[in-house]
Amino acid sequence: MVAVVEQVIAKGHPNIRATHPSTIEITKDEWLTPRGDCIIGISANKAVADLSEEFKVVARNSAANIIVRIETDDISDVIIGRGDSRLNFTDNKSIVIRRSDYVCGRTLMIKANKAARDLDRRLIERLRDPNQLIVITITVVLPLG
């Protein structure tokens, strides 16, 4: 098995709603309007373009599983999805998790088991605090053989 781990740090914002039915987004932007209903973290220290080349190579395999753990001080949630050969990781502002198999430069993974509206609502309450640090641990795992 091959596993590569990345960590992203973001901040909360009062406008986080997390009600989108098909995506989750983390952004480097330092602001959020109420229309950003898929965004769960702002002021992120990484976008998909900033992930390591090793991570990108492994994630571009359709057999790869990608696990994202979103955590605050005492609450966390986990999203599981798939890698894909079409992932290009070119966006320098965002990380997007998709339930669908749509791919663009912002896409981290496809066929995720959760979208923003599916996340633990206790976690979302914490993410509305602008002083809340959010730790996002992204692990790509590729079985060998």
Side-chain angles (χ1 to χ4, degrees):
M1 174 172 38
V2 175
V4 182
V5 179
E6 293 277 344
Q7 190 172 75
V8 178
I9 307 296
K11 289 175 33 180
H13 190 280
N15 286 334
I16 288 176
R17 295 187 309 155
T19 56
H20 200 279
S22 62
T23 62
I24 298 170
E25 180 176 346
I26 298 115
T27 182
K28 284 184 166 182
D29 285 341
E30 296 180 2
W31 48 269
L32 173 61
T33 70
R35 291 186 59 205
D37 62 351
C38 65
I39 297 174
I40 61 151
I42 67 164
S43 300
N45 66 339
K46 291 181 186 175
V48 290
D50 303 312
L51 300 174
S52 71
E53 286 307 311
E54 182 183 15
F55 180 96
K56 294 173 189 176
V57 166
V58 176
R60 285 186 185 114
N61 189 312
S62 60
N65 290 308
I66 301 174
I67 302 116
V68 175
R69 181 180 180 88
I70 301 164
E71 54 190 315
T72 61
D73 299 329
D74 60 343
I75 299 176
S76 66
D77 206 342
V78 175
I79 304 107
I80 300 169
R82 303 294 300 205
D84 191 275
S85 62
R86 300 170 295 155
L87 294 171
N88 59 34
F89 302 105
T90 57
D91 192 81
N92 60 11
K93 189 176 84 168
S94 303
I95 296 171
V96 177
I97 296 165
R98 300 185 187 281
R99 288 192 73 136
S100 71
D101 65 357
Y102 176 77
V103 172
C104 73
R106 303 175 336 135
T107 307
L108 171 70
M109 67 185 190
I110 61 170
K111 299 180 182 174
N113 67 338
K114 295 179 184 176
R117 74 174 179 193
D118 304 312
L119 294 172
D120 185 322
R121 300 330 280 179
R122 297 170 303 152
L123 176 65
I124 300 310
E125 281 300 316
R126 293 280 197 303
L127 301 184
R128 290 187 180 123
D129 178 349
N131 297 313
Q132 179 66 62
L133 284 183
I134 308 159
V135 178
I136 302 120
T137 304
I138 307 167
T139 306
V140 60
V141 179
L142 180 62
L144 295 179

